[in-house]
Amino acid sequence: MLWRGASPDGVPSGDAIVSVLSDRFYWERLVFTTAQAIFSTLLSVLVGLPAAYLLSQFNFPGRSVVRAAITVPFVLPTIVVALAFQQLLGPSGWVNGVVQALGGSPFTASGTLWAILLAHVFFNLAIVVRLVGGVWANLDAQQEEAARLLGADRVRTFRYVTFPALFPAIASAAALVFTFTFTSFGVVLILGGPRFDTLEVTIYRLAARLVQLPEAAVLSAVQLAATIVALTLYTTLQRRTARGGRLRPDRARSLKSTSWAERALIVVVAPVLTVLVVAPIAALILGAVTRDGVLTGRYFASLFVDTGTTAYVPPLQAIRWSFTFALGATAIAVVVGASAGIAVARARGRASSILDALLMLPLAVPAVVLGFGFLTTFNRGVYDLRGSPVLVLIAHALVAYPFVLRAVLAVARSMDPHLPEAAAALGASPSRVWRFVELPILARAILVGAVFAFAVSLGEFGATLLLRRREFATVPIAIFEALGRPGPDNLGRALALATILMGVTVVAFLIIERFRYRDVGEF
Amino acid sequence: MSITIAPSSRPRRRRFSAALLSICVTALLSVAACGGGDGSGALVLITHDSFSATDEIIARFEREHGVKVRIVQAGDANVLVNRAILAAGNPEGDVLFGIDNLSFGRAARANVFSTYRAQRRGEIPADIRKQFADSDLVTPVDFGYVNLNFDKAAGTPPATFDDLIQVPWKGKLVVENPATSSPGLQFLASTVAHFGEGDWQAYWRALKANDVAVVEGWTEAYQTRFSLYGGDRPLVVSYTTSPAAEVFFGKLTEPPTLNVIPNDQLFRQVEAAGVLRGAKNERAARAFIDFMLTDEFQEQIPETMFVYPIMPVPTPEWWRFAAVDVRPAVLDVSTVDVERWIKEWTAIMER
């Protein structure tokens, strides 16, 4: 795609580069993109840190469910997120209903910068909570206890002991969130407006009109460069977090042993968390089961009614295909991601970080460009895979494997290097060392990454949209089809399908919770 | 640090992992077994996301011609054409449906189609054929109009284009971005046709000053911004058939919305189908084009695609809410420069 853009008439041309780089409009876009990414990141960290604290330090009933629920937004298709926010914040939404009942005047949230920022936090909270929380849960308590013994109060302990230890994790979470919000597409597209276009949306618009493909190509290159920088920062910081041997088992304690300060924190953070994460989801579910304020199951029931047209996607078939793609993509992602993770862990220093960043690139490429790229690549002779479900499978595997990579890498780096050495010293051959020492340790991480990959594949929308056929349509596609026609029933059906998607995702994540290797691992 | 693995959980975990692995491999194989690409003897129809037809009519074609029909929904009308252009000569399918009079020039220049003269071509009105320069590269199949839909619950509707830039209508309209939305582009075309090439820019500047909302596509505009569905805007750019569609889907007796602009100021979009150059199954492609002009196919168009059939066929009872006076705005299609319109529009609206 980049090549086509760079050579519009078959001849490479630098005109587009000059015209784009000298156009103030594009610089403004770059500035806006960076600014909103920074703000989104700050907000996410601000909300995420207390949440990470609560979830990693305290054991309370329903903790796994809360953690799973926080992670759900991360994998929701963006149109579903837009719908959820609309159900909540729209003029006839629940919030407005409450406001008006209390005598206030109606307001609208869409098309504002706040809508974008809120949605970004909604999406990315999971990253901060799990990354930072994961490390926090396993932080060596002895150092903090030593500080307290020597006379430091809670604040000083936090400032000089806990925070520095956490800083690499916080910074790497921030870098990752920055990457995601910098390249944010769906959220900005739907909840923003032309004034709030990011670079990615601008590229999409330019590419949508083929004549401006050269400009799109130049902007893509700029974005890619910026993303690589951000990702390299992330991977370098992450490398410094996982110091082998510093991690201890989960130190969560029960809620009973809280101080008044901690209780105050809970009282403040819990409502914010609820509003940010639970409310949009709850609004969505409510929309799927009510009509004009009355509880009804009609939308779910009507999912199974064949409309007799080619646009109808039977929900069971959609679910079956979503699962099939998810399982297949997970299989590929496990093989690719695990190998990549081990390779990166074994590499040294700078090379390791750069390799890591490059391997994470699929996360930074817009799904639509990915889809278009596939169509123009796999189109000749025996490689003509257009129309084949294999292409969708590859696309899903591509966006899923980075998660396996991250999970495996975290554990591989924190694995005690003495263990395989000891096994070798005792006479085990390299393959035995691998099979009986390293693999069992990595297996759990692979499982963690695999279930995450599974969930991401379930929610994949952008590339699938471009590559789909009715014969193998997935649940996000079915949601999209339902939304394409007017009528409250169609909207209700879309919400019902979205609810099913969320339910399946929560179940998948609850499975992660059962198999987390003592909470070591990034996700 | 010591890592201990509880011995009792190992066999259990191994069994679980083994089971999971075999499920994944099975899934992988089942997807691969579905084959790479479309089998021989199938007809592949490339069309846009709004395409729909009854299973019955498709089955009828499959029976009568002995070919399986595979439908590729390639995006909206704009993406559809772009994909076809990107793949010109080595197309993804055999027949393309959904090329409209605004994008025909672009596709023709990119040599996307091969000619075919449909059997019933003579019955198509001349003014419609002229929308495609009377060329044999494509065959018109249906047409439609984009209009402003007004939510009746919001009171009295505006009457003309000019009303929209007045103060009482500030912040009440949502339109789609013509760069990424087919109805958005058609609405822009209507303003060009109505105000003329030199004056439409001023109109859009006035609209912008009057706080018009711009969204990506019809779904966002209609399902999330339109006040009928909980949005904040009572006026939306949609189709003249949308009120009728509300009656159809909601099983109502009266539409909850109405069309605002008088029909003679609206741009008429004509959709056509064409045989793709380099198609694997040209015979079936031609047969399908003829099939789309049969009365049976034309009759099911209103209820599946909510556009107007080109042939005179009986229409369903609720279609009366979609009745329009057939005198569309005149726009010389040969002078259409969609790219320039969009560039200028973007410069006005997005900066």
Side-chain angles (χ1 to χ4, degrees), chain A residues 86 208 308 310 379 466 487 517, chain B residues 3 53 55 72 82-83 90 224 229:
Chain A
Q86 193 62 29
T310 58
N379 60 356
L466 233 56
Y517 182 55
Chain B
I3 298 172
D55 289 329
V72 182
N82 285 347
R83 265 167 91 148
N90 181 18
T224 65
Y229 289 103

Side-chain angles (χ1 to χ4, degrees), chain B residues 27 37 65 74 85 118 126 131 136 157 177-178 191 237 242 270-271 291 296 311 319:
Chain B
H65 293 86
I85 291 177
Q131 292 291 309
D136 280 342
N177 190 325
T191 56
V237 170
S242 298
V270 185
E271 278 191 315
F291 185 72
E296 290 80 17
M311 295 295 174
W319 195 246

Side-chain angles (χ1 to χ4, degrees), chain A residues 310-327:
Chain A
T310 58
Y312 174 68
V313 179
L316 286 181
Q317 182 187 304
I319 292 174
R320 211 183 65 225
W321 272 104
S322 274
F323 263 87
T324 310
F325 282 128
L327 284 171

Side-chain angles (χ1 to χ4, degrees), chain B residues 181-233:
Chain B
S181 161
S182 175
L185 182 59
Q186 287 172 68
F187 183 66
L188 175 58
S190 290
T191 56
V192 175
H194 183 79
F195 291 100
E197 276 289 356
D199 297 320
W200 64 264
Q201 294 89 339
Y203 181 69
W204 278 97
R205 279 196 200 96
L207 272 183
K208 184 178 180 192
N210 221 23
D211 194 19
V212 64
V214 180
V215 295
E216 277 326 285
W218 181 87
T219 304
E220 291 80 77
Y222 202 87
Q223 306 275 31
T224 65
R225 297 302 294 271
F226 190 32
S227 59
L228 191 65
Y229 289 103
D232 54 327
R233 311 254 163 168

Side-chain angles (χ1 to χ4, degrees), chain A residues 205-332:
Chain A
R205 284 199 215 286
L206 289 173
R209 310 299 308 178
L210 281 181
V211 170
Q212 290 189 283
L213 214 49
E215 283 91 334
V218 172
L219 278 182
S220 288
V222 169
Q223 180 174 283
L224 219 59
T227 313
I228 290 180
V229 166
L231 276 175
T232 310
L233 186 69
Y234 161 68
T235 56
T236 311
L237 286 167
Q238 198 270 322
R239 184 158 56 88
R240 298 210 192 135
T241 312
R243 278 179 249 253
R246 284 270 182 92
L247 298 163
R248 297 254 173 260
D250 192 353
R251 67 186 220 178
R253 37 194 167 105
S254 93
L255 268 178
K256 302 220 170 73
S257 61
T258 51
S259 68
W260 66 266
E262 286 166 338
R263 275 188 212 150
L265 191 67
I266 294 174
V267 164
V268 167
V269 170
V272 173
L273 256 185
T274 311
V275 164
L276 263 170
V277 176
V278 174
I281 297 180
L284 196 97
I285 299 177
L286 274 172
V289 295
T290 57
R291 186 185 199 187
D292 300 323
V294 176
L295 271 180
T296 169
R298 59 184 294 153
Y299 298 130
F300 282 96
S302 74
L303 282 179
F304 297 92
V305 173
D306 190 338
T307 58
T309 65
T310 58
Y312 174 68
V313 179
L316 286 181
Q317 182 187 304
I319 292 174
R320 211 183 65 225
W321 272 104
S322 274
F323 263 87
T324 310
F325 282 128
L327 284 171
T330 304
I332 300 176

Side-chain angles (χ1 to χ4, degrees), chain B residues 150-199:
Chain B
F150 178 75
D151 183 359
K152 281 187 187 167
T156 331
T160 64
F161 277 114
D162 290 309
D163 280 347
L164 299 174
I165 54 177
Q166 308 303 330
V167 168
W169 296 101
K170 193 179 178 78
K172 303 275 188 196
L173 172 66
V174 53
V175 304
E176 297 91 357
N177 190 325
T180 51
S181 161
S182 175
L185 182 59
Q186 287 172 68
F187 183 66
L188 175 58
S190 290
T191 56
V192 175
H194 183 79
F195 291 100
E197 276 289 356
D199 297 320

